[in-house]
């Protein structure tokens, strides 16, 4: 069998059919509901205690800090009230000894010191005015709210959150190991060190970066409708969305005495969808997926993420290529005769090639290959040598690699559509249009009750409206060239290298969305997907704004 045909045979193992998409959506919806009712589920559905999204008119100066790995970032964000903002930031590496310090105070004291340096450098007038006031006021006078920076703390480690500014550290990851901090409130740890330095800063919220992505998009997105979903498709994948508060029935069982604004009737939920369907009831599971999972640091979990995110797509491709190279019947990278190699030299894999090393292929490799339209795939050949250690690959080699890259990337996008589609359907927003008015349709039980009471005309009219609202998304009734009304847009904010740089990733998501019966062509047209940048900075500052309205004032 010719090499390209072999590649197509393997690529077919990554097909994710329309029927697969529909089954995936159905199971995602079930696991969403399960996660809203109880803890310990595949979809964690973590309440954020953030109960409102911005609309772009908010103003003010807020701070954000981001401890997400080996660097610590400090930002100030000025919101201009017209969907725009100004960002000032600084970044510093965390000293390695502090990542494994004996006490939490050592690390959090260092973080507070960086906040102090930032204020002195970028907000010195405010800082100096605060110092002068401290020196002249009485000891019990306190600080007025207008002198305090509210700060959003993006803390990208597992936290058990019990309030908008309360979260206990469950465990460290990413090379950190400070046992003294485990089980303690990370907001309180930082606030204690800030107070010791007498800084005019209040830790108003602990922030998940995906929730921040939703907030950042909702502030900057055009139009009148608030953003429904913030999603990350990068090194990892996750989503946070706006849920009806009365559906989050597990709130009462979470413990704690958290106070939050119930008046909106909504709350942002952090799905932690990387662990969707860990039991593999509907997710695809090729031999390559099994190998990647078995040799990962966390076998058996994050099964959705391991089929979608940038961290794993390169490794899936590497294992596919390696299996073909090891098969003596398949001629991948085995061109030994200069006459049949268009580069007129023998194809060779270097002994220390990244192809032989776990995690040896970065996802940027897939993006480059997918985009290559050069003559005889010259760019692919160059990239194979530079990034994989394969010298003088033939055009047939390059075509085979391109076929496999396309299949793995397409499956990732179609799986991404499962999560997006399920959340859009669950929200009911496709049934709320400017034509029929939000919430104008009645449930089956309400229609039945009207019929029982003898209100047959009203029941028939309500049934017609409900049927129209239910099936309108399945039928494309939009005239060619017509635009969707701004009130009818379902806005989604996305971030991450896959959705930004992998060619046609959004197009492939949209193709799968159209295949979902409850969305269809008309529903897909109403979904607006836009880039949301800096959830851990701008998003965190916006959460600090929301939190500041909920927290007790500091004015005596």
């Amino acid at each position: 069998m010719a090499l390209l045909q072999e590649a197509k045979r393997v690529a077919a193992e990554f097909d994710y059919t329309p029927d697969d998409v529909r089954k995936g959506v159905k199971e995602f919806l079930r696991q969403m509901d399960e996660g809203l009712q109880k803890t310990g589920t595949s979809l964690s559905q973590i309440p954020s205690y953030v109960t409102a999204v911005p609309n772009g008119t908010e103003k003010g100066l807020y701070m954000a800090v981001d401890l997400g790995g080996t660097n610590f970032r400090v930002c100030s964000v000025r919101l201009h009230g017209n969907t725009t903002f100004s960002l000032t930031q600084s970044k510093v590496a965390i000293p390695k000894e502090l990542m494994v310090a004996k006490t939490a105070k050592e690390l959090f004291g260092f973080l507070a010191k960086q906040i102090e340096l930032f204020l002195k450098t970028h907000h010195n007038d405010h800082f100096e005015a605060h110092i002068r006031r401290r020196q002249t006021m009485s000891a019990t006078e306190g600080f007025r709210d207008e002198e305090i920076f509210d700060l959003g703390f993006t803390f990208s480690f597992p936290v058990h959150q019990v309030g908008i500014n309360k979260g206990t550290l469950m465990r460290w990851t990413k090379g950190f190991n400070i046992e003294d901090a485990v089980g303690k409130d990370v907001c309180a740890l930082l606030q204690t060190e800030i107070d010791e330095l007498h800084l005019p800063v209040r830790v108003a919220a602990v922030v998940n970066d995906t929730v921040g992505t939703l907030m950042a998009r909702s502030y900057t997105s055009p139009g009148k409708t608030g953003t429904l979903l913030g999603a990350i498709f990068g090194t990892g994948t996750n989503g946070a969305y706006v849920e009806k508060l009365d559906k989050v029935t597990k709130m009462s069982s979470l413990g704690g005495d958290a106070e939050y604004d119930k008046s909106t009737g909504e709350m942002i939920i952090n799905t932690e969808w990387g662990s969707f369907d860990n039991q593999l009831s509907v997710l695809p599971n090729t031999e390559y997926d099994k190998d990647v999972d078995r040799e990962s640091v966390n076998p058996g979990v994050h099964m959705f993420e391991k089929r979608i995110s940038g961290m794993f797509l390169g490794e899936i491709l590497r294992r596919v290529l390696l299996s073909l190279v090891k098969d003596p019947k398949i001629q991948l990278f085995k061109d030994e005769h200069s006459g049949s190699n268009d580069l007129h030299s023998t194809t060779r894999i270097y002994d220390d090639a990244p192809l032989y090393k776990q995690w040896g292929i970065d996802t940027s490799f897939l993006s480059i290959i997918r985009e290559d339209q050069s003559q005889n795939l010259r760019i692919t050949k160059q990239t194979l040598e530079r990034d994989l250690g394969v010298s003088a690959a033939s055009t047939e080699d390059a075509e085979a690699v391109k076929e496999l890259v396309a299949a793995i990337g397409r499956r990732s996008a179609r799986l991404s559509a499962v999560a997006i589609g399920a959340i859009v359907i669950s929200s009911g927003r496709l049934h709320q249009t400017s034509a029929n008015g939000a919430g104008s349709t009645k449930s089956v039980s309400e229609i039945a009750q009207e019929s029982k009471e003898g209100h047959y005309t009203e029941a028939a009219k309500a049934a017609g409206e409900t049927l129209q609202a239910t099936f309108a998304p399945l039928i494309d009734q939009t005239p060619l060239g017509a635009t969707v009304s701004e009130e009818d847009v379902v806005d989604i904010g996305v971030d991450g290298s896959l959705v930004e740089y992998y060619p046609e990733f959004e197009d492939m998501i949209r193709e799968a969305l159209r295949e979902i019966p409850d969305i269809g062509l008309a529903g897909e047209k109403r979904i607006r997907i836009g880039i949301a940048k800096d959830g851990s900075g701008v998003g965190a500052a916006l959460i600090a704004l929301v939190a500041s309205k909920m927290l007790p004032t500091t004015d005596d």
Side-chain angles (χ1 to χ4, degrees):
M1 190 183 287
L3 177 55
L4 186 56
Q5 288 304 110
E6 284 285 358
K8 287 183 176 181
R9 177 186 62 78
V10 176
E13 295 184 45
F14 292 91
D15 284 350
Y16 195 64
T17 68
D19 191 49
D20 292 330
V21 171
R22 290 189 282 271
K23 287 176 181 175
V25 168
K26 183 178 179 181
E27 180 62 15
F28 200 101
L29 285 164
R30 189 194 71 76
Q31 292 190 22
M32 279 177 71
D33 286 341
E34 181 183 55
L36 293 173
Q37 295 167 25
K38 58 186 179 182
T39 58
T41 54
S42 285
L43 276 183
S44 296
Q45 296 285 72
I46 301 168
S48 70
Y49 299 90
V50 180
T51 58
V53 297
N55 60 19
T57 63
E58 294 80 3
K59 294 182 180 181
L61 182 62
Y62 297 87
M63 288 189 72
V65 295
D66 179 11
L67 182 66
T70 56
N71 291 313
F72 181 63
R73 185 165 67 122
V74 186
C75 317
S76 61
V77 179
R78 184 170 293 281
L79 306 170
H80 300 308
N82 58 356
T83 76
T84 67
F85 59 87
S86 304
L87 175 73
T88 305
Q89 64 179 334
S90 67
K91 186 184 289 188
V92 63
I94 304 289
K96 283 191 168 46
E97 62 271 18
L98 290 183
M99 295 171 67
V100 291
K102 285 193 168 118
T103 67
K105 183 177 178 62
E106 294 169 71
L107 174 64
F108 285 86
F110 171 82
L111 304 183
K113 191 68 180 171
Q114 303 315 306
I115 295 171
E116 180 182 50
L117 291 172
F118 179 86
L119 289 173
K120 285 180 177 178
T121 303
H122 299 289
H123 298 282
N124 194 51
D125 290 348
H126 190 109
F127 183 76
E128 291 295 335
H130 168 71
I131 295 295
R132 286 194 299 274
R133 173 171 162 76
R134 275 192 56 242
Q135 290 170 341
T136 57
M137 73 180 183
S138 68
T140 58
E141 193 174 344
F143 308 119
R144 291 196 302 270
D145 265 1
E146 62 266 24
E147 297 174 335
I148 300 290
F149 281 107
D150 282 305
L151 176 145
F153 183 15
T154 300
F155 187 76
S156 299
F157 300 90
V159 166
H160 175 57
Q161 194 167 347
V162 292
I164 199 162
N165 67 340
K166 292 178 184 174
T168 56
L169 175 64
M170 298 165 67
R171 63 185 178 278
W172 289 104
T173 56
K174 307 174 190 176
F176 283 76
N177 187 18
I178 307 168
E179 200 59 38
D180 177 52
V182 176
K184 293 182 179 175
D185 181 352
V186 294
C187 287
L189 289 172
L190 183 58
Q191 188 69 64
T192 297
E193 300 306 319
I194 287 171
D195 292 345
E196 283 202 10
L197 294 174
H198 304 292
L199 304 179
V201 175
R202 172 172 61 176
V203 183
V206 60
V207 176
N208 171 274
D209 59 350
T210 314
V211 177
T213 297
L214 168 55
M215 298 292 280
R217 172 64 186 177
S218 197
Y219 181 79
T220 58
S221 68
K224 302 172 184 176
T225 55
T227 300
L228 168 65
L229 167 66
I232 294 175
F233 300 106
T235 305
T237 184
N238 191 20
Y241 72 102
V242 180
E243 182 58 275
K244 298 175 186 69
L245 196 51
D246 60 9
K247 288 179 69 176
V248 194
T249 55
K250 68 180 179 182
M251 288 298 294
S252 58
S253 65
L254 291 177
D257 54 353
E259 293 184 6
Y260 53 93
D261 180 8
K262 300 179 180 67
S263 65
T264 65
E266 296 178 334
M267 181 178 286
I268 297 177
I269 299 294
N270 166 22
T271 66
E272 292 294 339
W273 74 34
S275 284
F276 164 60
D277 196 29
N278 279 340
Q279 61 271 39
L280 298 178
S281 62
V282 294
L283 286 180
N285 198 30
T286 68
E287 290 303 314
Y288 314 105
D289 294 313
K290 293 174 186 175
D291 289 345
V292 168
D293 177 54
R294 184 172 54 250
E295 297 186 29
S296 69
V297 297
N298 54 354
V301 297
H302 291 177
M303 303 306 263
F304 194 55
E305 182 168 88
K306 286 171 181 170
R307 287 149 179 77
I308 288 180
S309 74
M311 180 174 179
F312 296 98
L313 296 189
E315 181 61 10
I316 292 171
L317 174 65
R318 188 188 73 84
R319 289 175 181 274
V320 171
L321 295 176
L322 204 54
S323 74
L324 296 177
V325 166
K326 289 179 177 178
D327 188 333
K329 300 189 295 295
I330 298 175
Q331 294 302 302
L332 182 66
F333 306 146
K334 293 172 185 170
D335 197 342
E336 296 177 356
H337 306 291
S338 60
S340 61
N341 186 315
D342 50 67
L343 288 176
H344 303 294
S345 60
T346 302
T347 304
R348 176 175 167 233
I349 305 174
Y350 299 120
D351 291 342
D352 62 346
L355 180 62
Y356 295 132
K357 299 172 184 173
Q358 189 179 21
W359 313 115
I361 302 181
D362 187 80
T363 299
S364 61
F365 174 87
L366 280 78
S367 297
I368 293 167
I369 305 305
R370 183 75 176 86
E371 196 166 28
D372 183 16
Q373 300 294 328
S374 61
Q375 187 174 14
N376 293 324
L377 299 179
R378 174 180 50 82
I379 292 171
T380 293
K381 295 170 190 174
Q382 292 171 349
T383 309
L384 281 166
E385 178 153 19
R386 186 189 68 224
D387 292 358
L388 256 64
V390 178
S391 172
S394 69
T395 299
E396 196 177 16
D397 289 331
E399 288 171 344
V401 172
K402 191 172 175 69
E403 184 76 25
L404 294 164
V405 163
I408 292 167
R410 186 167 186 266
R411 187 184 73 164
S412 169
R414 290 175 68 79
L415 283 166
S416 302
V418 166
I420 293 172
I423 287 170
V424 169
I425 292 166
S426 175
S427 74
R429 292 198 186 186
L430 290 181
H431 298 316
Q432 301 170 359
T433 68
S434 53
N436 67 19
S440 64
T441 60
K442 294 186 177 181
S443 68
V444 173
S445 59
E446 287 173 323
I447 295 169
Q449 185 60 37
E450 284 198 338
S451 182
K452 279 182 189 176
E453 293 172 359
H455 305 306
Y456 301 118
T457 304
E458 292 87 344
K461 182 182 176 186
E465 290 172 347
T466 300
L467 284 168
Q468 183 181 17
T470 301
F471 291 103
L474 312 185
I475 306 166
D476 182 21
Q477 299 173 334
T478 310
L480 192 64
T483 57
V484 175
S485 166
E486 185 57 50
E487 289 85 354
D488 295 342
V489 165
V490 180
D491 192 77
I492 294 170
V494 293
D495 191 12
S497 55
L498 268 179
V499 74
E500 281 198 74
Y501 303 121
Y502 189 90
E504 300 173 351
F505 197 79
E506 182 185 332
D507 292 342
M508 292 186 288
I509 288 175
R510 288 187 174 280
E511 177 189 48
L513 289 174
R514 290 192 290 272
E515 295 166 0
I516 301 168
D518 287 346
I519 295 177
L521 184 60
E524 179 269 321
K525 284 183 177 180
R526 289 178 54 189
I527 297 170
R528 178 173 59 201
I529 299 174
I531 297 296
K533 296 304 293 179
D534 202 11
S536 62
V538 177
L542 285 158
I543 293 173
L545 180 156
V546 172
S548 68
K549 297 174 181 176
M550 297 165 49
L551 297 173
T553 64
T554 57
D555 202 344
D556 284 351

